[in-house]
Amino acid sequence: MLKFGVIGYGYWGPNIVRNLSSIEGCTVSVVCDPSPAARSRAEKAHHGVRVVSDAAEIMSDPEIDAVAVITPVWTHYELSKAALTNGKHVFVEKPFTSNSAQAEELIDLANRKNLKLMVDHTFLFTGAVRKIKSLLDQGALGKLYYYDSTRVNLGLFQHDCNVIWDLAPHDLSIMDYLIKGTPEAIVATGQGHLNGHEDVAFMTLYFPEKVIAHINVNWLSPVKVRTTLIGGEKRMLVWNDLESDEKVKVYDKGVKITSREGVYELLVSYRSGDMWSPQLEQAEALRLELEYFVDCVSTGQRPFNDGCAGLRVVRMLEAASESLSKRGSLIQL
């Protein structure tokens, strides 16, 4: 039986505890949060689970096998390092760390201790992303052209990071999973209006073979939008995560260009075929992810969303931050 300690019982922590408590082969032994109100909620919701205010109690407990770090990003490095140093596997919320040097150190420590380190990139376990990955691997869209995402809503304002570090890790982790090849350069522009952090931002990522990605993140939108367009040579795809049914739609549309011989003209023909919506898995993504983490710990398998995947996202976030500070300069990766 894998025994977990969960650090952080704020917005996301209760979902972690709820799912871990229902997975066969593991149990939540301790929940930690410095907030008395959060501890009170945890005690009422989970009878029999020890609730503490100091994370050191989890780190020093020889009974605890794994730690879930569900806290603000600036705390991830110290808490994850303490857990790994004390011989515990680590599941850490995104983004992995505040900078790439911290991420590299944690990856090295986990490798030396032969411990599993996994970053919470929950979207990779959704039915939509798993289906899109399958379609891309099958070549259903043909040669990839672009990835275009809009992830906007009103709030929730963060006090310790800008909107890129808050919302963009979702798309960056999805792109890292779906698009073959790593981005070569990043451009980011944005502006802060309310609390000193950028609350509106736009990122462009240049991948090999002319693949381009664009991300629009915003805390000041009057409506919530979660829409991604993926365009390929053969077909195009729309993923609307707010749809209850038909979240993913594949359009059999495309453009073909031929040149008329002897004439300086391009002949453009448009192809418009059927639209179809593939069936998606309905299981809760976080539960699938935590089951996968428990399985990786049990079998010794290396998770695909490991520390290295988290590091790649952090490097993109760092490059975006550098570009933001230089008013949209191109930053090579």
Side-chain angles (χ1 to χ4, degrees), residues 98-304:
S98 297
N99 59 61
S100 53
Q102 292 176 345
E104 287 165 358
E105 186 182 335
L106 293 178
I107 292 165
D108 182 57
L109 180 58
N111 287 339
R112 282 191 282 113
K113 293 264 190 179
N114 197 27
L115 293 165
K116 297 302 169 203
L117 176 58
M118 186 160 140
V119 183
D120 180 13
H121 292 156
T122 317
F123 271 98
L124 307 188
F125 294 83
T126 60
V129 172
R130 287 155 79 105
K131 177 56 71 175
I132 294 167
K133 171 73 169 167
S134 172
L135 290 169
L136 291 174
D137 287 349
Q138 293 165 20
L141 302 191
K143 184 179 181 298
L144 201 61
Y145 286 161
Y146 67 85
Y147 178 106
D148 188 4
S149 169
T150 302
R151 189 175 295 276
V152 305
N153 50 264
L154 192 60
L156 299 156
F157 285 86
Q158 303 297 320
H159 301 291
D160 59 339
C161 67
N162 63 26
V163 71
I164 282 182
W165 278 81
D166 179 42
L167 295 181
H170 294 307
D171 288 292
L172 295 175
S173 64
I174 293 165
M175 287 189 313
D176 180 66
Y177 183 57
L178 295 179
I179 301 175
K180 288 174 179 152
T182 53
E184 297 169 331
I186 289 181
V187 170
T189 56
Q191 196 59 265
H193 302 90
L194 297 175
N195 68 351
H197 295 297
E198 288 84 4
D199 39 46
V200 178
F202 307 90
M203 293 172 62
T204 302
L205 297 92
Y206 297 92
F207 285 81
E209 298 189 18
K210 295 186 179 180
V211 178
I212 190 167
H214 182 258
I215 302 172
N216 170 8
V217 284
N218 187 339
W219 284 328
L220 292 176
S221 167
V223 293
K224 184 174 182 177
V225 180
R226 297 284 185 273
T227 302
T228 301
L229 309 177
I230 302 176
E233 187 177 22
K234 292 182 188 173
R235 294 180 184 87
M236 300 175 187
L237 179 151
V238 179
W239 166 30
N240 183 347
D241 200 46
L242 301 185
E243 285 272 5
S244 52
D245 299 312
E246 300 188 346
K247 283 181 186 288
V248 175
K249 294 177 180 175
V250 181
Y251 292 84
D252 189 9
K253 292 186 175 184
V255 179
K256 187 178 180 184
I257 296 180
T258 53
S259 57
R260 186 183 293 168
E261 199 153 340
V263 183
Y264 298 105
E265 282 183 33
L266 291 177
L267 300 178
V268 181
S269 60
Y270 298 94
R271 178 176 47 76
S272 184
D274 294 335
M275 182 281 290
W276 58 283
S277 183
Q279 189 171 5
L280 307 180
E281 282 182 87
Q282 297 301 319
E284 184 181 355
L286 182 59
R287 182 184 173 87
L288 292 177
E289 183 179 33
L290 290 169
E291 283 177 340
Y292 177 60
F293 179 63
V294 170
D295 187 55
C296 286
V297 171
S298 303
T299 63
Q301 179 185 350
R302 188 185 187 95
F304 62 81

Side-chain angles (χ1 to χ4, degrees), residues 10-28:
Y11 171 71
W12 196 235
N15 295 317
I16 299 289
V17 177
R18 171 177 57 82
N19 277 287
L20 284 174
S21 300
S22 67
I23 293 171
E24 199 173 330
C26 77
T27 183
V28 177

Side-chain angles (χ1 to χ4, degrees), residues 70-83:
I70 316 299
T71 57
V73 61
W74 56 270
T75 65
H76 289 181
Y77 166 72
E78 292 292 348
L79 290 170
S80 300
K81 184 178 179 181

Side-chain angles (χ1 to χ4, degrees), residues 307-324:
C308 294
L311 170 60
R312 291 193 295 271
V313 170
V314 170
R315 282 180 174 151
M316 289 186 263
L317 291 169
E318 283 181 322
S321 295
E322 186 182 347
S323 181
L324 263 181

